[in-house]
Amino acid sequence: MRMQALAIAMVIVSGVAIFIMSLSTYDSLKETRDSYYRVHQFSDVFANLTRAPMSLAQRIEAIPGVAKVETRVVTYVNLDVPGFKDPVSGHMISLPRHQERQMNRLFLTQGRLVDPSRDNEIVISVEFAKAHQLELGDKIWAIINGRRQALTIVGKGMSPEYIYQIAPGAMFPDYQRYGVMWVARKPLASAYDMEGAFNNVTLKLNRNIEPKAIIEQLDNLLKPYGGTGAIDRHDQLSHRFLDEELKQLQNMATMFPIIFFAVAAFLLNVVVSRLISLQREQIAILKAFGYSNLAVGVHYSKLILMIVVMGIFIGTFLGIWMGTSMSELYSQFYSFPYLVYELKPWVLVSAGVVSIGVALVGTLYAVRKAIKLPPAEGMRPDQVAIYRPTVVERWGLQTLFSQPTRMILRHLERRPLKSLLTSLGISMAFGIMMVGGFQEGAINHMIDVQYKLSQREDMMVFFVEPSAEDALYSLKSLEGVQHTEGIRMVNARLRHEHRSYRTGVQGIEPDSELRQLLDANLSPIHIPKDGVVITDYLAQKLHLKLNDLMTIEVLDGKRPVLQVPVAGIVKEYVGLNAYMHRDTLNHLLKEGNVISGALLTVDEDAQQSLYAKLKNMPKVVGVVEQSAAIDGFNETMEETILFFTFISTLLGGSIAFGVVYNSMRIALSERHRELASLRVLGFRRSEVAFILLGEMALLTFIAIPLGFLIGYGLCAYLAFNFDSDLYRIPLVLGIDVYAFSALVVIVSSLISGSLIWRNLAHLDMVAVLKAKE
Amino acid sequence: MPTAANPSPVFQVNQITKTYQMGEVAVHALRGVSLELFQGELSVLLGASGSGKSTLLNILGGLDTPTQGQVLYQGKELSLDLSLATETELTDYRRFHVGFVFQFYNLIPSLTAAENVAVVTEIAKAPMTPSEALELVGLENRLNHFPAQLSGGEQQRVAIARAIAKNPDVLLCDEPTGALDSKTGIKVLEALAKINQELGTTTSIITHNAGIASMADRVIKLIDGQIVDIQQNDSRIQAQDLSW
């Protein structure tokens, strides 16, 4: 009984642990974020524009509901970091004269803010500093409006705007190649002709003000100044990623504990039922001695509670450990000045209440049976089990089976529900293992599709402003460049009926090799001459079908509003995009044959020298190289994946072990008489073990397809829940995911089997001959 | 010396003792028992509960080993010192040479009468068929009944069929009529006597029921773990003439 109680407790431990882990991590992340936002005055609304005079700020401040306005100069620059050859780009954000008045206040971990009167001081993000091992007093060089300028690091800091630091359009953080930095406003403004002007504005709203109406008025004000559409927090990139993460944690906090508690309830039910039927005589005697029904009920409830409380106790510690480990992992992905591990009392209380409640409900029936048992009946032996030939045997197949096999089949068929639930319990272990293994494969598939099939360039170059197609020739003439394609990009709001989404429209070359659009089967399709091709998820979001007319409100240049039919829908896992034939887009924009940037494939050997040349081209504002970012991401993910594999193996293994071990122990207890009799008749231990282990093997065998189905279902549910405009997790389950989950379940079963094998050595043959059934 | 009147002994038991540790108390189940059982003989071990008769039978059947002393088995194909045999040797000994009949039948509830016999014939070397065995005990019409569908006497006869189906060298019966009324018990004993006579199987029946003793060739009485009397019956009484 001790081992059995332990095995059940382990399942409860897992349920409690994952419940506490996910909710405490959720709370920690959310509380940390909220307090960080509050103390550092994270803005409510954000907007970019081309250039507006400072006087406009007062008009923005006059919008009812706006509490504070802060204007800034924000630019995207190329950087030169000593000792680092790859292209580095960064966001350079102006700091106001008086830090106190500012929104999105910096948290300085080292050094000081810049001196407003000096043009060569810079504060850099902690992550960027760490990635390049930059210290206070070190210098980096920035290409500011075509001029190479040395900047001295005077501080390292963090901002609530960049908790998740990711380059625009990128999918993963890459702290070596993208950084955020803050400089004095005056020199930045003078370099970009922004004196007395701004190109970025953030707002703080009064309490309980809906940002939607404000955004509309703000957009109207900014329109003449090249406003590209204001967004609220929900569309702010860093905030969005954190939100998705929180959503995942919430999902985890519900889905997994439900599985564990259901399995624990089932196990408690079978074990307590068996215990009560073994002890029916003792129960009857106690009752005959005058113990009340209540006393008997309380006795068994105490036993159940002991197991559950042990589970809750260990589960809480494990959960706290897992929660802190997970929070630490998060602090690698997210930039928080501090991460307060938050374990709310209600989480603990509900873990306890739910575990105890589920356990009591699960065993209610069995305990009720004990309570109801009349003493006289209890002293009579249990009814003889009635068996019959199984269905397969009635088909005339019985000659195929040896007697032990018939015993297995008939035993299973006599209690079909219990057999099914046992299989279902084991299959839950598969399910949990598969969910654990699913993410890695899905993310790899996502990266493969996005960066091997779809975006096939080695490098992407952005120009300061749309340039004539000739720019391509000068790129092509650079040593090491193999192939170039021009690309036209505009910011736009896409509309259909009352729904809209802000993204970019990309004009690509008709026979583009470097930008391949993929259909649902991931085969490339050609960009049609007319119409627009959109991401499948965007089509869903805007309720667009093929040939529907979509409105494109261009947010750049002359800001035309276009009506374009949907000519194609493509599969994409990252971002929501719209693509058009470049000539068609340019024609509609009426800006001549221009490009915003270029896609390049380059000779690997010439890469380094090419970076250097590109950096010094005044026209070029940014260079993005994806493969390095992917490598960096994989490195960071490795630890996370290892942690999750560890956790899911622990959890899946505990379920498999709990179910298999308990089922076998109960089978052993139920059949110990016949097994011992067979030993007396000269059956070897292995032959007797076959009957027990064979039954379990059969149930596990049934659990395999069932488990794969459940695992697939759980993964599909997760993937569906993670769908967002940022990314869609593809439902791709590699053979390795199936294989690994099967391996863990089989190993857990083998461990239980070996424990049972040892029990079989102690079958008491002598006792069984003397004992009545 | 084996002669026609006094055939060779199948079991030679020399001064065996058996001590169990029951908690802190040492129970002396056998205190120096010596005995020979002969080929084809039907013996009855008679004694009250606690006299050590079951312990002796368990040791003869290879289910248990003595604390001291020696038990030699001399079968047609196998000679074995049961007191020194390994677990595997004892398992094989039970598997190929011994037939057991128990007080509570110990049938497999999920198998029919024929299948309960087949359990043994499937692993034996030269068995009869399950239907032959069941015919010997008069159950040829109950082949496909499950134990729950049979009376106690019928169940015990299935157990006998199961014990003899492998053509064992010895048949050991532990209180075979203990759970049966006398009328049914006699039917079971008839079956045992018939097997002993027709197949020549060395048979040992333990019982506390003195009424059975007169059907045996020899009656061995045990009290407190010691043999107090061995009585040779000049003629065996037919089982149907027994009464108790």
Side-chain angles (χ1 to χ4, degrees):
Chain A
M1 186 67 198
R2 208 175 34 190
M3 236 355 236
Q4 274 175 284
L6 205 68
I8 299 176
M10 259 172 71
V11 178
I12 297 172
V13 165
S14 306
V16 169
I18 197 147
F19 184 76
I20 289 178
M21 177 194 84
S22 30
L23 282 183
S24 67
T25 311
Y26 174 87
D27 285 336
S28 308
L29 219 55
K30 192 163 186 312
E31 292 287 317
T32 305
R33 183 180 80 170
D34 289 351
S35 99
Y36 188 24
Y37 279 0
R38 204 170 42 246
V39 175
H40 289 260
Q41 295 280 306
F42 185 49
S43 306
D44 296 313
V45 173
F46 309 79
N48 281 314
L49 53 147
T50 315
R51 185 182 192 279
M54 286 301 287
S55 55
L56 190 69
Q58 280 151 24
R59 287 174 63 196
I60 298 171
E61 212 158 354
I63 299 174
V66 173
K68 274 196 265 182
V69 175
E70 188 180 298
T71 64
R72 302 188 291 192
V73 178
V74 177
T75 61
Y76 194 66
V77 295
N78 282 339
L79 297 163
D80 229 344
V81 181
F84 192 74
K85 293 279 195 296
D86 290 10
V88 182
S89 60
H91 261 108
M92 205 165 260
I93 301 161
S94 70
L95 282 172
R97 275 179 167 276
H98 305 290
Q99 159 84 6
E100 307 81 57
R101 287 188 49 222
Q102 203 203 98
M103 280 176 252
N104 309 313
R105 282 186 201 160
L106 293 190
F107 177 90
L108 283 176
T109 56
Q110 242 187 317
R112 57 170 174 84
L113 290 174
V114 294
D115 181 340
S117 63
R118 305 196 59 156
D119 65 352
N120 62 348
E121 291 187 350
I122 190 165
V123 173
I124 60 174
S125 75
V126 176
E127 278 70 24
F128 186 68
K130 211 193 306 173
H132 289 287
Q133 291 166 328
L134 291 168
E135 294 304 330
L136 299 186
D138 287 352
K139 277 191 174 63
I140 58 171
W141 281 264
I143 321 297
I144 296 178
N145 213 8
R147 252 189 56 225
R148 194 162 181 274
Q149 182 169 356
L151 298 162
T152 306
I153 299 163
V154 297
K156 297 180 187 177
M158 303 175 172
S159 152
E161 263 183 298
Y162 294 97
I163 294 175
Y164 192 65
Q165 255 172 67
I166 190 170
M171 191 182 159
F172 316 115
D174 181 355
Y175 303 128
Q176 281 197 307
R177 291 167 193 80
Y178 172 75
V180 182
M181 43 215 66
W182 295 268
V183 292
R185 176 155 184 165
K186 209 170 154 236
L188 193 64
S190 60
Y192 284 95
D193 189 22
M194 289 280 172
E195 278 161 320
F198 62 93
N199 66 359
N200 175 282
V201 61
T202 68
L203 313 182
K204 195 105 195 108
L205 306 184
N206 287 325
R207 265 172 197 280
N208 303 325
I209 295 289
E210 261 300 304
K212 209 172 167 194
I214 309 269
I215 284 174
E216 221 176 281
Q217 296 181 59
L218 180 64
D219 280 349
N220 282 335
L221 281 177
L222 296 181
K223 212 172 189 170
Y225 304 101
T228 52
I231 54 171
D232 68 3
R233 280 185 183 184
H234 292 290
D235 291 319
Q236 204 265 350
L237 203 57
S238 158
H239 183 94
R240 270 305 305 280
F241 268 95
L242 257 171
D243 259 357
E244 291 299 322
E245 200 68 60
L246 290 172
K247 212 166 84 185
Q248 288 187 26
L249 282 171
Q250 263 182 325
N251 258 316
M252 202 160 25
T254 43
M255 187 171 93
F256 286 98
I258 286 176
I259 295 176
F260 284 102
F261 288 133
V263 172
F266 163 67
L267 289 182
L268 276 169
N269 180 28
V270 290
V271 169
V272 172
S273 298
R274 178 61 193 158
L275 188 70
I276 284 171
S277 86
L278 281 177
Q279 295 186 344
R280 42 187 279 134
E281 211 170 333
Q282 280 137 284
I283 297 168
I285 290 169
L286 285 178
K287 283 190 182 175
F289 284 166
Y291 278 82
S292 68
N293 287 344
L294 183 70
V296 170
V298 167
H299 166 77
Y300 285 103
S301 306
K302 271 187 198 159
L303 175 86
I304 296 158
L305 283 181
M306 257 173 62
I307 297 175
V308 177
V309 167
M310 180 165 78
I312 295 172
F313 193 72
I314 304 173
T316 303
F317 280 98
L318 186 65
I320 291 172
W321 174 77
M322 276 157 52
T324 44
S325 309
M326 184 117 154
S327 301
E328 262 166 45
L329 277 177
Y330 275 127
S331 62
Q332 293 179 10
F333 279 94
Y334 298 105
S335 174
F336 284 112
Y338 45 82
L339 193 73
V340 191
Y341 181 68
E342 177 101 17
L343 179 60
K344 291 190 174 166
W346 79 265
V347 174
L348 278 182
V349 171
S350 36
V353 169
V354 169
S355 316
I356 292 173
V358 164
L360 290 181
V361 169
T363 47
L364 197 65
Y365 177 73
V367 174
R368 237 174 68 103
K369 214 169 123 188
I371 293 174
K372 288 234 165 146
L373 182 75
E377 194 185 307
M379 298 211 201
R380 282 197 293 273
D382 226 341
Q383 279 174 350
V384 184
I386 307 290
Y387 287 91
R388 53 193 191 132
T390 51
V391 178
V392 266
E393 293 173 76
R394 273 174 268 140
W395 291 341
L397 298 174
Q398 76 262 36
T399 45
L400 296 176
F401 304 125
S402 70
Q403 307 313 320
T405 309
R406 292 182 205 193
M407 288 170 70
I408 292 174
L409 294 177
R410 289 178 195 169
H411 191 252
L412 290 179
E413 212 196 52
R414 193 168 78 87
R415 310 269 278 281
L417 186 67
K418 195 174 143 195
S419 307
L420 186 74
L421 285 177
T422 305
S423 275
L424 200 65
I426 302 170
S427 59
M428 287 299 173
F430 279 100
I432 283 168
M433 288 301 306
M434 281 172 67
V435 169
F438 154 64
Q439 291 195 15
E440 187 186 3
I443 291 174
N444 283 339
H445 178 77
M446 203 159 128
I447 292 174
D448 279 356
V449 170
Q450 194 72 16
Y451 299 110
K452 287 197 181 134
L453 292 179
S454 188
Q455 303 180 12
R456 298 152 66 105
E457 74 274 9
D458 295 328
M459 230 182 261
M460 193 165 171
V461 175
F462 300 102
F463 300 138
V464 179
E465 52 189 6
S467 312
E469 214 179 352
D470 303 348
L472 274 185
Y473 298 115
S474 50
L475 283 176
K476 206 166 191 172
S477 66
L478 292 172
E479 194 196 332
V481 173
Q482 292 169 331
H483 180 76
T484 59
E485 280 177 20
I487 186 163
R488 176 75 173 112
M489 286 176 174
V490 287
N491 287 309
R493 190 182 301 280
L494 309 180
R495 247 184 229 289
H496 179 238
E497 293 165 349
H498 61 281
R499 299 175 188 87
S500 73
Y501 186 78
R502 237 206 82 181
T503 182
V505 179
Q506 304 185 19
I508 58 176
E509 289 189 1
D511 294 312
S512 175
E513 282 171 30
L514 303 183
R515 204 35 117 243
Q516 298 225 311
L517 304 177
L518 306 171
D519 66 11
N521 303 319
L522 303 181
S523 330
I525 53 173
H526 283 285
I527 184 87
K529 179 80 177 113
D530 296 311
V532 62
V533 173
I534 58 175
T535 311
D536 49 359
Y537 192 75
L538 182 61
Q540 264 179 48
K541 207 174 155 73
L542 297 183
H543 289 234
L544 279 164
K545 296 186 306 292
L546 224 54
N547 301 324
D548 282 351
L549 271 187
M550 182 174 84
T551 307
I552 302 177
E553 298 174 17
V554 178
L555 300 170
D556 295 335
K558 294 174 188 141
R559 304 175 77 104
V561 175
L562 316 168
Q563 298 278 335
V564 186
V566 175
I569 290 173
V570 289
K571 180 103 224 150
E572 277 185 314
Y573 295 124
V574 182
L576 299 187
N577 298 298
Y579 301 93
M580 286 178 78
H581 193 295
R582 202 178 82 212
D583 295 345
T584 314
L585 181 62
N586 273 332
H587 177 73
L588 290 170
L589 292 172
K590 301 194 172 84
E591 286 177 19
N593 200 11
V594 292
I595 53 176
S596 320
L599 310 173
L600 315 179
T601 54
V602 299
D603 182 357
E604 224 172 297
D605 299 333
Q607 220 163 7
Q608 300 299 340
S609 64
L610 191 58
Y611 291 145
K613 279 178 204 150
L614 286 170
K615 258 187 235 177
N616 293 320
M617 288 176 83
K619 248 189 172 175
V620 171
V621 71
V623 182
V624 175
E625 197 234 347
Q626 289 290 8
S627 67
I630 296 166
D631 292 347
F633 174 78
N634 281 337
E635 239 168 70
T636 330
M637 278 301 281
E638 238 167 60
E639 203 178 327
T640 315
I641 282 167
L642 213 66
F643 178 71
F644 274 101
T645 309
F646 169 71
I647 298 281
S648 61
T649 306
L650 193 76
L651 301 183
S654 76
I655 280 206
F657 179 77
V659 175
V660 173
Y661 182 73
N662 271 304
S663 307
M664 288 211 275
R665 275 308 295 262
I666 287 169
L668 177 63
S669 138
E670 284 174 347
R671 318 184 67 175
H672 128 273
R673 185 184 168 82
E674 52 189 76
L675 298 180
S677 303
L678 289 174
R679 285 287 277 144
V680 172
L681 296 177
F683 271 60
R684 304 198 167 102
R685 180 151 47 132
S686 54
E687 290 165 334
V688 168
F690 167 77
I691 296 171
L692 268 194
L693 305 186
E695 179 177 318
M696 215 53 236
L698 192 64
L699 288 176
T700 309
F701 188 70
I702 294 169
I704 292 176
L706 198 66
F708 287 164
L709 224 67
I710 287 174
Y712 191 83
L714 288 177
C715 293
Y717 172 81
L718 275 184
F720 178 76
N721 264 287
F722 290 168
D723 272 2
S724 75
D725 51 335
L726 294 178
Y727 52 84
R728 273 81 53 199
I729 306 258
L731 185 52
V732 178
L733 284 160
I735 190 87
D736 54 330
V737 176
Y738 291 100
F740 185 63
S741 58
L743 181 76
V744 169
V745 173
I746 288 168
V747 167
S748 306
S749 304
L750 287 179
I751 293 172
S752 336
S754 69
L755 290 175
I756 295 292
W757 171 255
R758 280 173 42 198
N759 284 326
L760 281 175
H762 305 127
L763 269 184
D764 192 341
M765 291 183 277
V766 173
V768 82
L769 301 182
K770 281 290 159 198
K772 231 171 150 178
E773 195 122 5
Chain B
M1 266 294 139
T3 61
N6 193 8
S8 60
V10 178
F11 289 106
Q12 280 179 293
V13 179
N14 294 322
Q15 282 300 317
I16 59 165
T17 64
K18 180 72 189 180
T19 312
Y20 295 109
Q21 201 64 35
M22 296 274 276
E24 289 180 8
V25 189
V27 178
H28 299 282
L30 293 175
R31 308 160 182 257
V33 168
S34 296
L35 174 72
E36 285 184 329
L37 294 177
F38 299 100
Q39 174 66 49
E41 180 184 44
L42 194 157
S43 56
V44 164
L45 296 172
L46 194 63
S49 152
S51 60
K53 57 188 192 310
S54 287
T55 308
L56 180 58
L57 191 86
N58 289 341
I59 290 172
L60 294 179
L63 295 172
D64 210 345
T65 48
T67 314
Q68 281 179 328
Q70 195 186 33
V71 182
L72 293 175
Y73 167 76
Q74 181 63 59
K76 281 174 231 153
E77 295 147 16
L78 175 79
S79 301
L80 188 66
D81 184 343
L82 295 179
S83 45
L84 298 175
T86 62
E87 200 207 300
T88 315
E89 284 172 330
L90 288 179
T91 303
D92 279 352
Y93 164 67
R94 294 195 302 269
R95 187 181 183 110
F96 300 120
H97 304 283
V98 186
F100 278 104
V101 177
F102 315 114
Q103 180 178 2
F104 300 109
Y105 336 130
N106 291 53
L107 297 178
I108 309 295
S110 55
L111 298 180
T112 62
E115 290 167 339
N116 260 288
V117 178
V119 157
V120 167
T121 58
E122 273 177 6
I123 59 168
K125 277 176 179 161
M128 47 184 107
T129 64
S131 38
E132 278 167 1
L134 285 165
E135 203 181 326
L136 271 175
V137 295
L139 287 177
E140 57 276 16
N141 298 323
R142 312 288 263 167
L143 296 182
N144 294 321
H145 288 63
F146 283 91
Q149 299 166 315
L150 297 169
S151 72
E154 287 174 323
Q155 287 188 54
Q156 190 60 300
R157 282 189 283 153
V158 174
I160 294 170
R162 178 176 66 180
I164 54 143
K166 70 171 88 159
N167 284 316
D169 299 321
V170 289
L171 185 58
L172 302 176
C173 313
D174 190 350
E175 299 275 12
T177 60
L180 303 171
D181 60 69
S182 67
K183 203 176 140 205
T184 319
I186 283 165
K187 276 199 164 159
V188 167
L189 292 174
E190 272 175 5
L192 288 174
K194 184 177 165 200
I195 304 295
N196 173 254
Q197 268 153 18
E198 287 181 12
L199 306 178
T201 313
T202 310
T203 304
S204 210
I205 300 171
I206 66 174
T207 179
H208 63 276
N209 185 349
I212 295 174
S214 46
M215 72 177 278
D217 294 314
R218 269 198 308 163
V219 182
I220 299 142
K221 277 191 192 148
L222 283 110
I223 295 178
D224 269 349
Q226 288 176 314
I227 294 175
V228 291
D229 181 34
I230 298 180
Q231 180 196 325
Q232 182 89 39
N233 287 336
D234 294 335
S235 61
R236 282 163 54 170
I237 289 176
Q238 293 292 306
Q240 69 253 34
D241 299 330
L242 293 172
S243 66
W244 61 83

